[in-house]
Amino acid sequence: MEALVQSRSLIKRAFWLIRLRWVAIAGLLCAVYFANTFWAVELPVKKLYVLAAVLLGYNFIFFNLAHFLTFRRREVSPKVSNGIVFFQVAADLVTLTLILHLSGGIENPFFLYFVFHMILASVLLTRLQSYVVATFGVLLFGTMIWLEYNGILPHYQLTGFIDNSNYNDRLFVFGTFTVFTTALYLVVFMTTSMAEQLRRQQKRLERANAQLKEKDYLKNQYVLRLTHDIKGHLAAIEGCLDMVLHRLGGNLTEQQEDMTNRAYRRAGKCLDFVKALLRLTRMKLTGRMDKEKVSVKNLVKDSIAAVENKAKEKDVEINYKIDDSLDEIFAEPILLEETLINLLVNSVKYNLKKGKVFLKVTDKGQTILFEIIDTGIGIPQGQEDKIFEEFNRASNAREIERDGTGLGLSIAKEVIERHGGTIWAKSNSPKSGSTFTFQIPKDIKDEQKDQNG
Ligand code: ADP
């Protein structure tokens, strides 16, 4: 499995190689054109353009291949993906050697570009393969300059750039080749060492991440069992207190009634907290989502109806606007409604008396955007992200609402992210309300797929 993931990421990195090659083709065409037209350097222009066309052709093939393997999510064995990258690097070296041969051979300073290929190979391939690539480069370059030196291959003089030939100067050829060879191997040695270190570090991080996930899973299971037990006891306590308050055990004195009432309210709050924690933990553990068609208009109306009483108590006015183009989306109806209700409850809870709430639902094409704008206490600067963390409450929250679990927004975040969306909050301006926004995909296509298949 890990090997397949690595193989996919190698294919993705091959895209980088392909993009670089587009740039190289443009660079080659420009260099040939300018050198020939403006600086009057003599070049076999046609042959070089043919090489550019070959480069273009095989880059197109590699582009389509990488595209096919990545986006069709074909499972490619690491051997194949490595082979594809290796083949590309080798093809590039051959092309570079041919370009150099047609443009001055050893006298063309562009031979330094072999170094780039070595760096690329060292980053993308294994250490052994990188040394094989370096050796291949040395062999190609060495063969070219040797054949030109011995007159077996013609030498294309870069007249206009270098007028005195050096390609047949034994000392120059030997010296340049030695520097070239050592430079290539040194570059491969240094880059592969660094790349290896980074790979090892990445593996360590991946292992640590897997361990954290495992521990998180165990923690969640522990919390789930614990909260489940506590919930049962709390429900029983609440039930008993309810019976006492309904005089099933006889009449109560005023003081007894007051204390029982307080105990009942506290038990209720505690039960709400435990239920929220239970839901969040269960969601994290199972990640289950039973999506179905949801009417946006009904969702909004039902959610607002659910908070109407709370809003009336505080004289908060709630208005909404839904884009006409919106009809149905594909989502988990209960969780989505709970999330919307949760945000609306907060916008009333953290609002001022006679405050306002505005719910705006916008059609964004593939996605749908919900904005809950209120005129409440706002969120202190720098705490906009923190309030989505479990048990986190903003510093100004207690002034207006003493009790709170700090779990509602974590649940909302979990639900929205499970829908493949994002949620965020911002203060409109200090002390003048906040806007909570979430965006989720409409996912209507998924639903069609399900129906078809
Ligand atoms: P709770 O409301 O129970 O504290 P939540 O997770 O729903 O838990 O909210 C976390 C915190 O985010 C709140 O305590 C409050 O500080 C802040 N918050 C949430 N909604 C609003 C809002 N509409 N305006 C200002 N602050 C808000």
Side-chain angles (χ1 to χ4, degrees):
M1 186 64 202
E2 195 188 341
L4 281 176
V5 172
Q6 275 174 5
S7 147
R8 255 187 229 138
S9 82
L10 189 65
I11 294 279
K12 274 192 187 145
R13 271 187 274 164
F15 268 115
W16 176 51
L17 206 58
I18 290 162
R19 275 197 293 275
L20 279 179
R21 208 174 288 118
W22 295 129
V23 177
I25 294 165
L28 172 65
L29 291 172
C30 288
V32 172
Y33 178 76
F34 281 106
N36 191 249
T37 319
F38 295 107
W39 300 307
V41 179
E42 274 179 26
L43 286 168
V45 176
K46 269 193 196 145
K47 287 182 184 166
L48 283 166
Y49 283 154
V50 168
L51 267 183
V54 170
L55 203 54
L56 199 77
Y58 78 71
N59 204 32
F60 190 69
I61 294 172
F62 283 129
F63 173 76
N64 281 307
L65 187 65
H67 207 274
F68 178 76
L69 295 174
T70 318
F71 295 107
R72 294 290 163 96
R73 296 190 183 278
R74 299 280 143 144
E75 298 218 325
V76 191
S77 77
K79 249 189 184 166
V80 173
S81 58
N82 238 284
I84 294 171
V85 173
F86 186 81
F87 189 67
Q88 285 191 67
V89 175
D92 285 342
L93 289 182
V94 173
T95 317
L96 178 61
T97 311
L98 288 172
I99 293 169
L100 285 175
H101 167 60
L102 293 173
S103 55
I106 197 168
E107 290 160 7
N108 186 341
F110 272 105
F111 71 73
L112 287 173
Y113 276 33
F114 268 93
V115 170
F116 296 146
H117 290 79
M118 296 309 123
I119 296 173
L120 283 173
S122 310
V123 173
L124 295 173
L125 301 169
T126 63
R127 189 185 279 257
L128 179 67
Q129 284 172 326
S130 307
Y131 279 109
V132 172
V133 166
T135 309
F136 187 53
V138 168
L139 280 176
L140 282 170
F141 188 70
T143 310
M144 175 194 72
I145 59 176
W146 186 79
L147 291 174
E148 286 190 22
Y149 176 81
N150 287 299
I152 301 168
L153 272 182
H155 173 69
Y156 292 88
Q157 185 69 34
L158 280 179
T159 313
F161 178 65
I162 292 177
D163 294 329
N164 297 327
S165 285
N166 282 325
Y167 76 99
N168 50 4
D169 178 331
R170 183 200 287 235
L171 196 59
F172 176 79
V173 171
F174 179 71
T176 310
F177 180 66
T178 310
V179 173
F180 175 86
T181 308
T182 47
L184 250 54
Y185 282 115
L186 270 176
V187 164
V188 169
F189 171 72
M190 288 193 284
T191 328
T192 49
S193 304
M194 280 191 277
E196 200 85 344
Q197 237 174 335
L198 286 175
R199 268 180 217 143
R200 268 204 297 270
Q201 209 166 340
Q202 190 182 349
K203 277 222 171 91
R204 265 204 299 274
L205 287 175
E206 275 165 6
R207 262 202 305 274
N209 199 20
Q211 275 170 358
L212 277 178
K213 274 193 183 150
E214 171 75 21
K215 282 190 179 148
D216 197 46
Y217 178 78
L218 290 177
K219 179 209 82 181
N220 281 333
Q221 274 197 326
Y222 173 73
V223 173
L224 188 76
R225 213 173 305 155
L226 200 71
T227 40
H228 195 266
D229 284 354
I230 295 176
K231 192 183 130 201
H233 296 308
L234 278 171
I237 294 171
E238 199 190 32
C240 290
L241 290 170
D242 189 41
M243 281 200 259
V244 175
L245 282 172
H246 281 89
R247 312 284 190 271
L248 290 178
N251 279 340
L252 298 171
T253 64
E254 202 175 310
Q255 202 184 9
Q256 280 169 336
E257 184 172 0
D258 179 46
M259 281 163 73
T260 317
N261 246 326
R262 270 198 267 168
Y264 178 74
R265 272 202 307 275
R266 283 301 173 105
K269 280 196 173 137
C270 208
L271 197 57
D272 286 346
F273 171 76
V274 168
K275 276 183 188 163
L277 190 57
L278 198 59
R279 270 213 322 277
L280 180 65
T281 316
R282 211 173 259 151
M283 216 177 338
K284 280 186 176 171
L285 276 173
T286 63
R288 229 186 23 235
M289 287 272 277
D290 299 322
K291 287 188 179 181
E292 56 186 70
K293 273 187 192 174
V294 175
S295 150
V296 178
K297 286 191 182 88
N298 291 345
L299 168 75
V300 167
K301 280 184 191 156
D302 293 348
S303 306
I304 290 180
V307 291
E308 233 157 33
N309 280 344
K310 253 191 171 18
K312 259 189 208 141
E313 278 169 25
K314 229 173 159 175
D315 219 356
V316 171
E317 185 185 321
I318 305 181
N319 288 302
Y320 70 91
K321 184 180 176 298
I322 308 169
D323 272 356
D324 290 336
S325 52
L326 283 168
D327 181 19
E328 283 179 329
I329 57 169
F330 200 57
E332 217 293 351
I334 297 169
L335 291 178
L336 193 61
E337 187 175 308
E338 262 182 18
T339 302
L340 196 54
I341 292 176
N342 201 347
L343 295 175
L344 286 168
V345 165
N346 276 353
S347 69
V348 172
K349 200 161 77 173
Y350 297 105
N351 217 322
L352 312 173
K353 267 209 171 297
K354 292 189 189 299
K356 285 194 164 62
V357 174
F358 186 63
L359 168 60
K360 193 170 162 210
V361 191
T362 316
D363 188 352
K364 291 270 177 193
Q366 299 288 309
T367 59
I368 178 167
L369 186 85
F370 291 80
E371 287 168 284
I372 299 102
I373 307 154
D374 67 51
T375 53
I377 56 168
I379 307 153
Q381 219 187 352
Q383 298 187 25
E384 291 93 340
D385 291 335
K386 285 218 156 72
I387 54 174
F388 288 96
E389 289 169 14
E390 283 160 47
F391 310 112
N392 221 311
R393 305 191 72 205
S395 51
N396 60 348
R398 263 170 224 289
E399 292 164 22
I400 194 158
E401 183 76 33
R402 207 162 58 91
D403 297 316
T405 60
L407 280 175
L409 289 183
S410 335
I411 296 177
K413 187 166 188 273
E414 192 74 29
V415 170
I416 297 304
E417 286 178 357
R418 286 200 187 279
H419 276 86
T422 39
I423 182 167
W424 65 96
K426 70 175 177 63
S427 239
N428 299 340
S429 68
K431 290 215 166 216
S432 79
S434 24
T435 302
F436 281 76
T437 315
F438 68 88
Q439 186 159 11
I440 51 167
K442 286 184 190 162
D443 256 0
I444 284 299
K445 261 189 255 129
D446 279 10
E447 181 246 351
Q448 279 162 358
K449 244 188 275 164
D450 277 9
Q451 278 178 358
N452 296 341

